[in-house]
Amino acid sequence: MSLDLPRPPATGCRDTPVLKQRGQHEVFCGLTGIIWLHRKMQDAFFLVVGSRTCAHLLQSAAGVMIFAEPRFGTAILEETDLAGLADAQEELEREVARLLERRKDIRQLFLVGSCPSEVIKLDLARAAEKLTEQYAPHVRVLNYSGSGIETTFTEGEDACLASMIPVLPETDERQLLLVGALPDVVEDQALDLLAKMGIENVKVLPARRADDDLAIGPNTVFALTQPFLGGSLAALGKRGARHIPAPFPFGEEGTTAWLRAVAQEFGVDLTLVDTVTHAPRARAKKAVAQAAEHLRGKSVFFFPDSQMEIPLARFLTRECGMTAVEVSAPFIHKGVVGPDLDLLEEGPTIAEGQDVDLQLDRCRAARPDLTICGLGLANPLESEGLATKWAIELVFTPVHFYEQAGDLAGLFSRPIKRREALRLEAAE
Amino acid sequence: MKLSVWTYEGPPHVGAMRVATAMTGLHYVLHAPQGDTYADLLFTMIERRNHRPPVTYTTFQARDLGSDTANLFKTACQSAYDRFQPQAMIVGASCTAELIQDDPGGMAELMGLPCPVIPLELPSYQRKENYGADETFFQICRALARPVEKTAHVTANLIGPTALGFRHRDDITEVTALLEEMGISVNVTAPYGASPTDITRLGAAHLNILMYPETGEAACRWMERELGLPFTKTVPIGVGATRDFVAEVAKLTGVEPKLEESRLRLPWYSSSVDSTYLTGKRVFIFGDGTHVATAARIARDEMGFEVVGLGCYNREMARPIRALAKEYDVEALISDDYLDVEQRIEELAPEMILGTQMERHIGKRLGIPCAVISAPVHVQDFPARYSPQMGIEGANVIFDTWVHPLVMGLEEHLLHMFREDFEFHDDAGASHHGHKAKARQAESIEEPVAANDPAVPAETAEIIWLADAERELKKIPFFVRGKARRNTELFAAERGVQQIGIDTLYEAKAHYAR
């Protein structure tokens, strides 16, 4: 079995004109990032300063994850908080004191800004500074904004990580930093592959616990594992760290290209990379091929959601034989997804932002075989006869690197297989 | 500021969405930032609607703040009208837009759209979802309903069912059937399924059936005043309440009271000997005011339970619930903080909880069986099968729903009688609680146990359980053991007894026997 990478297309999509529209966006705000971030950072608490809407959103997005003592909550603004600003700081301090009194295990507290707190210009940065002084050294208090007016869905993770970067200790050590919250199992696989290639001294942001010895400096190079980390990329640059551009590690091809880029940076012999990756590559190829049977020749349409759309479209078109009709993302950062755009064959509409009614018109006209969209659109489109794959699952499920490549393809083939399996019309 | 983790109710604009989504031919333009569209998935996922809620969001972003948001609103309003051509529109602001003070109502009015535009004032920082639904429906009625000629024969409006309502879909069917048996037909059901044109015909009915006070009372009061429509005060959940409801409708309309009871099975099921074990089961009831009030009556009068506590999360119903609690000789819990509810349940240690989705999780944590009687609920409580709460079939559904989580009568006896048996030992658990049965451990001789394990309240920490009493306690079936331990410790503490022996255990048992 040959494991050569397929050739890149003659012209990729990097220079394709981007369709930019504004209008109603059917997307989550950045607060949603808390749902998976708090699972990853085991000693962190996320305190949203916002309205009842924010609390309701977190609850709706968290779905069945009702815990006895969850590590996130909302300080709900009341009438009195809106009347005078001075006293909002005191109120916040009081609520934080109550919270930390009850939860001694909390080492990092994030004050998360929301639309209401941003609009009334509540100074959470100052509050975080004051609280850090008050609770040092046991608890570190940081702040970032997850508001809908500033962030879309996964940008919440970006804002959170970017808030941590300036306060990390300084180091001169030559080290590799992996940036992006991955499920533990995936993170372990990535670290194992890198270790086998002889790359030692690898750190991960976000670390699982606050007392991890994470530091940063001019000899740090970093690779992104998630495509929505434009803000973190800039913040890391400010600390002197250098980015390794690479396609994202989705599918066999993406993972190999990502590993090769990292290996090249560390001067690892490419034959060693091939030796290390040979067996997992073969496994990934086989697993993807099984799921791809149902995907080959089918068309796919991406509504904007997580910024994972471009790398995923690259995976579906190149490794599963699908045709992309439209690939839209809430935000396109060419410095981040450029390598994926290079591999994506010209043809699909590349769109940034959204006017949901106009986009639905385009989707209905194209009648794609598979539509990737949010939960607000999925059932309505199914009832119009379109097969859908709801996008949020791609953020929660382990989908990166070799061992998950088959599962990733399976997420897309399942709705199509199900449509073929169901016989719900009368038998006549 | 108030720290909140889980909320029983969403913000008021979600209540307005529940009205808009329930109706047809109505469109809601909501001045809101990017992200507020999350509420769409409540309707498309939890209620499994096959269409998008008829809501257009203006989706303003940080860079629009300043002058542009007003224009954004007007553009959104115009394109929503052009695209959907609704019979009427409602416009309003979400919590963030409330802060930027654009006045959607005023702006929409100036646009001169060719359909009625109804402005909504929903104070997001004071009120909640149910208020939003009630107020929205009231404003729609006030704007559109006018006095019209009454129908020739007796008709009624069904008022209050909305989208995302707990069993509203099937309650409508059941109440419609109840009325039909009395020769009364339904004029308009609203907001569920009604169009703005239907709203203009509300006045043609002879009376209003107020199905859910939380979401329909303001409109019913207004119609009583302005259109001369009396409305019913009894909510027909439970056998007794259904009979009272029929009598009330008969009185208001002058028709013969009639109730076809041949399909009613709750009274016989509840009288049959297998139900004897339900007698005096201690239940705690929590939810929205209406469902709690009706559940309390069923629990006491129709199931033979003992109501040991009750409460509601919606402040609007605080007064009637407090009065009801007095009648049941318990203390009402009016709170929207689930930690308060959890604490009260822990204190009361009931044998069963009747509550919402939140109480189900509390029950799971504390190992107490729970049945869901009220919103907020999750997707499994929007079932495919017919399962009303109201009327005759509602009573049957309630009997089944409440009994299933309890250990079945016969099984409870087996667990009692054969508790020394290897198949019915403590860790075996009840057959319908989904955990793996554990094999019985060989008994070991135990040291005297100081009562400082986490299950024991701190104030009794100085009380010591002697080894023989501890062993005897273990012979009591697991599902009542917690209560036996608490009662014994309370009994010991009251008498200043420091060490609990077998005698103390059985003296306490005799003391608390019922």
Side-chain angles (χ1 to χ4, degrees):
Chain A
M1 179 175 191
S2 161
L3 289 175
D4 285 341
L5 288 173
R7 291 172 167 280
T11 46
C13 287
R14 196 190 276 258
D15 299 321
T16 305
V18 174
L19 174 67
K20 291 191 187 187
Q21 280 180 333
R22 64 175 301 181
Q24 178 177 330
H25 290 194
E26 186 83 20
V27 291
F28 281 128
C29 65
L31 295 182
T32 332
I34 292 170
I35 305 295
W36 65 88
L37 278 174
H38 89 283
R39 303 308 303 155
K40 188 73 199 169
M41 296 148 84
Q42 293 162 11
D43 51 6
F45 192 100
F46 293 81
L47 180 63
V48 177
V49 182
S51 64
R52 177 166 300 279
T53 310
C54 307
H56 196 236
L57 158 90
L58 280 181
Q59 174 167 328
S60 309
V64 293
M65 284 205 300
I66 297 210
F67 312 109
E69 286 284 350
R71 280 182 292 105
F72 56 83
T74 310
I76 295 185
L77 294 166
E78 290 168 329
E79 276 279 281
T80 48
D81 300 305
L82 305 176
L85 277 176
D87 131 80
Q89 294 276 355
E90 272 170 44
E91 291 268 306
L92 184 59
E93 280 172 37
R94 191 197 62 220
E95 287 303 321
V96 167
R98 272 183 53 194
L99 172 70
L100 293 177
E101 179 56 35
R102 221 181 67 214
R103 301 296 304 269
K104 305 274 191 205
D105 53 324
I106 299 305
R107 301 287 317 280
Q108 301 183 78
L109 176 67
F110 288 95
L111 302 179
V112 189
S114 66
C115 302
S117 76
E118 298 290 325
V119 167
I120 64 169
K121 302 214 176 348
L122 198 57
D123 193 349
L124 291 182
R126 201 168 63 102
E129 254 170 60
K130 263 181 87 177
L131 287 165
T132 297
E133 279 169 32
Q134 201 175 329
Y135 291 99
H138 187 68
V139 186
R140 189 174 62 184
V141 186
L142 293 173
N143 95 289
Y144 71 90
S145 169
S147 71
I149 55 177
E150 288 159 312
T151 58
T152 305
F153 195 31
T154 47
E155 278 185 281
E157 175 174 334
D158 189 28
C160 173
L161 300 190
S163 79
M164 300 167 75
I165 291 165
V167 296
L168 287 175
E170 180 84 16
T171 178
D172 277 337
E173 243 179 295
R174 166 81 166 158
Q175 62 171 356
L176 173 64
L177 184 65
L178 303 187
V179 189
L182 292 177
D184 289 350
V185 54
V186 178
E187 189 179 299
D188 292 342
Q189 287 168 19
L191 293 173
D192 181 55
L193 285 165
L194 292 168
K196 283 183 180 149
M197 287 165 28
I199 301 173
E200 306 289 342
N201 206 6
V202 184
K203 295 280 162 49
V204 180
L205 179 73
R208 290 180 205 184
R209 309 197 71 86
D211 51 16
D212 194 280
D213 55 342
L214 199 58
I216 203 166
N219 287 319
T220 303
V221 287
F222 65 94
L224 303 178
T225 55
Q226 298 281 21
F228 41 74
L229 299 173
S232 305
L233 179 121
L236 284 162
K238 276 195 197 131
R239 296 288 308 264
R242 193 161 44 76
H243 177 217
I244 307 171
F248 284 89
F250 297 117
E252 181 272 323
E253 183 190 18
T255 307
T256 305
W258 187 90
L259 285 171
R260 280 190 181 175
V262 173
Q264 203 160 15
E265 165 67 31
F266 282 84
V268 178
D269 189 353
L270 280 186
T271 54
L272 174 62
V273 178
D274 286 344
T275 316
V276 169
T277 59
H278 188 271
R281 281 182 73 187
R283 278 200 299 274
K285 271 201 156 171
K286 196 173 149 210
V288 170
Q290 277 164 2
E293 265 176 49
H294 300 269
L295 298 174
R296 206 163 300 285
K298 303 250 164 60
S299 58
V300 60
F301 191 107
F302 280 90
F303 278 82
D305 199 56
S306 63
Q307 297 185 49
M308 290 161 83
E309 297 83 3
I310 287 169
L312 289 174
R314 184 262 299 152
F315 165 71
L316 288 177
T317 51
R318 289 175 61 85
E319 295 186 52
C320 302
M322 294 187 88
T323 323
V325 180
E326 175 162 332
V327 184
S328 52
F331 185 68
I332 297 177
H333 190 310
K334 288 201 175 158
V336 176
V337 293
D340 283 290
L341 280 169
D342 289 336
L343 290 173
L344 186 62
E345 185 134 27
E346 244 189 325
T349 305
I350 308 288
E352 185 181 23
Q354 189 179 35
D355 180 323
V356 74
D357 285 310
L358 296 180
Q359 192 169 29
L360 279 166
D361 289 345
R362 294 201 297 277
C363 180
R364 288 176 183 124
R367 291 208 68 81
D369 296 308
L370 186 65
T371 305
I372 322 296
C373 61
L375 292 172
L377 299 176
N379 268 338
L381 287 174
E382 288 280 350
S383 80
E384 294 178 27
L386 293 172
T388 61
K389 165 75 220 130
W390 43 285
I392 313 179
E393 204 179 355
L394 299 161
V395 182
F396 291 120
T397 315
V399 293
H400 295 68
F401 290 94
Y402 292 127
E403 312 305 343
Q404 285 67 237
D407 302 341
L408 176 60
L411 287 178
F412 297 100
S413 67
R414 196 167 305 122
I416 290 178
K417 273 160 74 176
R418 183 166 179 78
R419 277 192 93 75
E420 288 164 3
L422 292 179
R423 301 271 180 274
L424 296 173
E425 279 78 38
E428 294 153 273
Chain B
M1 262 180 230
K2 187 174 182 312
L3 182 63
S4 144
V5 181
W6 304 114
T7 65
Y8 284 94
E9 289 182 74
H13 73 258
V14 169
M17 285 181 71
R18 287 176 54 186
V19 171
T21 308
M23 290 181 66
T24 60
L26 181 82
H27 200 85
Y28 184 16
V29 179
L30 181 61
H31 203 17
Q34 163 174 275
D36 278 5
T37 51
Y38 82 87
D40 282 2
L41 68 90
L42 303 172
F43 300 94
T44 60
M45 297 305 289
I46 295 179
E47 208 179 4
R48 286 187 229 252
R49 291 206 170 239
N50 63 0
H51 59 89
R52 294 172 63 214
V55 184
T56 294
Y57 302 80
T58 55
T59 312
F60 57 81
Q61 288 175 289
R63 60 169 186 263
D64 306 318
L65 292 177
S67 61
D68 205 23
T69 52
N71 266 326
L72 216 57
F73 176 81
K74 284 185 210 157
T75 318
C77 234
Q78 186 64 50
S79 60
Y81 179 79
D82 294 343
R83 178 172 283 267
F84 301 103
Q85 305 272 314
Q87 294 168 20
M89 282 165 84
I90 53 178
V91 296
S94 80
C95 53
T96 306
E98 194 182 326
L99 298 172
I100 59 177
Q101 299 176 336
D102 272 341
D103 184 23
M107 285 190 290
E109 206 175 321
L110 289 176
M111 290 174 67
L113 290 166
C115 73
V117 178
I118 304 157
L120 300 175
E121 291 289 343
L122 302 175
S124 313
Y125 297 90
Q126 297 161 9
R127 311 304 293 262
K128 288 177 268 182
E129 180 177 331
N130 279 329
Y131 170 83
D134 192 53
E135 171 71 12
T136 302
F137 184 56
F138 160 60
Q139 292 298 346
I140 291 171
C141 290
R142 210 176 69 140
L144 301 175
R146 292 287 171 269
V148 286
E149 204 182 318
K150 300 268 178 229
T151 53
H153 70 294
V154 182
T155 56
N157 298 319
L158 305 188
I159 302 299
T162 62
L164 221 59
F166 177 63
R167 307 298 166 84
H168 288 193
R169 178 196 70 195
D170 296 342
D171 283 347
I172 293 170
T173 312
E174 194 64 23
V175 172
T176 304
L178 281 181
L179 294 172
E180 250 161 31
E181 278 158 22
M182 298 170 75
I184 300 171
S185 37
V186 171
N187 178 52
V188 172
T189 301
Y192 203 103
S195 67
T197 314
D198 294 330
I199 300 296
T200 64
R201 296 190 295 107
L202 281 170
H206 292 234
L207 84 161
N208 277 332
I209 307 294
L210 175 55
M211 290 176 69
Y212 308 101
E214 275 85 356
T215 50
E217 188 159 354
C220 276
R221 288 194 184 283
W222 181 83
M223 283 189 266
E224 186 176 49
R225 220 168 43 237
E226 301 294 323
L227 307 176
L229 282 175
F231 67 92
T232 52
K233 311 291 189 297
T234 316
V235 176
I237 300 180
V239 180
T242 302
R243 288 175 182 147
D244 291 353
F245 171 81
V246 167
E248 189 186 3
V249 170
K251 205 169 145 215
L252 286 175
T253 55
V255 304
E256 198 65 29
K258 244 202 278 180
L259 181 62
E260 170 57 52
E261 293 199 1
S262 61
R263 287 181 305 111
L264 178 62
R265 285 179 280 269
L266 181 143
W268 163 240
Y269 270 50
S270 198
S271 318
S272 75
V273 292
D274 191 55
S275 297
T276 314
Y277 76 104
L278 300 176
T279 315
K281 281 261 183 226
R282 305 169 70 255
V283 296
F284 176 81
I285 309 176
F286 197 83
D288 68 41
T290 299
H291 285 91
V292 165
T294 52
R297 180 172 176 186
I298 301 169
R300 186 185 62 184
D301 299 345
E302 297 168 22
M303 302 293 277
F305 294 154
E306 184 197 344
V307 177
V308 294
L310 55 81
C312 69
Y313 57 78
N314 50 340
R315 212 155 283 284
E316 291 87 350
M317 294 292 275
R319 195 180 295 212
I321 290 298
R322 285 213 177 88
L324 184 77
K326 227 171 237 148
E327 196 188 305
Y328 281 72
D329 202 21
V330 295
E331 201 188 325
L333 175 64
I334 313 295
S335 173
D336 61 354
D337 186 338
Y338 89 110
L339 290 172
D340 290 349
V341 181
E342 186 173 68
Q343 193 190 345
R344 181 65 62 88
I345 291 174
E346 252 170 325
E347 282 163 16
L348 293 170
E351 289 161 275
M352 184 183 196
I353 307 167
L354 301 172
T356 73
Q357 179 73 11
M358 314 299 176
E359 282 68 47
R360 228 180 44 183
H361 286 275
I362 293 171
K364 190 170 147 197
R365 200 169 85 82
L366 300 176
I368 303 172
C370 179
V372 171
I373 59 158
S374 154
V377 294
H378 210 21
V379 61
Q380 67 269 41
D381 276 302
F382 285 91
R385 66 176 186 278
Y386 183 57
S387 31
Q389 298 286 291
M390 292 185 177
I392 299 290
E393 190 57 23
N396 296 337
V397 166
I398 285 172
F399 182 87
D400 286 347
T401 311
W402 293 11
V403 165
H404 279 176
L406 294 170
V407 178
M408 302 293 147
L410 189 58
E411 191 172 6
E412 180 166 325
H413 282 292
L414 290 174
L415 286 166
H416 255 293
M417 287 163 62
F418 302 125
R419 63 186 178 226
E420 295 299 319
D421 187 289
F422 73 100
E423 277 172 335
F424 289 100
H425 65 91
D426 290 350
D427 290 339
S431 63
H432 60 289
H433 290 165
H435 63 75
K436 214 168 140 192
K438 292 183 197 117
R440 182 169 216 175
Q441 302 290 313
E443 283 264 332
S444 56
I445 294 160
E446 286 166 52
E447 299 295 305
V449 186
N452 58 357
D453 62 80
V456 179
E459 62 268 21
T460 61
E462 69 275 17
I463 293 179
I464 307 283
W465 281 78
L466 298 174
D468 54 347
E470 187 74 29
R471 267 197 298 278
E472 195 71 10
L473 184 70
K474 287 226 164 125
K475 294 181 190 165
I476 297 171
F478 66 91
F479 46 84
V480 287
R481 193 181 304 144
K483 193 169 62 163
R485 183 188 278 275
R486 273 170 48 88
N487 283 351
T488 309
E489 281 166 5
L490 211 64
F491 180 83
E494 276 169 11
R495 281 157 189 76
V497 176
Q498 298 284 311
Q499 296 192 327
I500 296 175
I502 293 188
D503 286 348
T504 325
L505 179 66
Y506 282 115
E507 273 163 30
K509 183 173 190 291
H511 178 76
Y512 289 105
R514 52 160 196 255

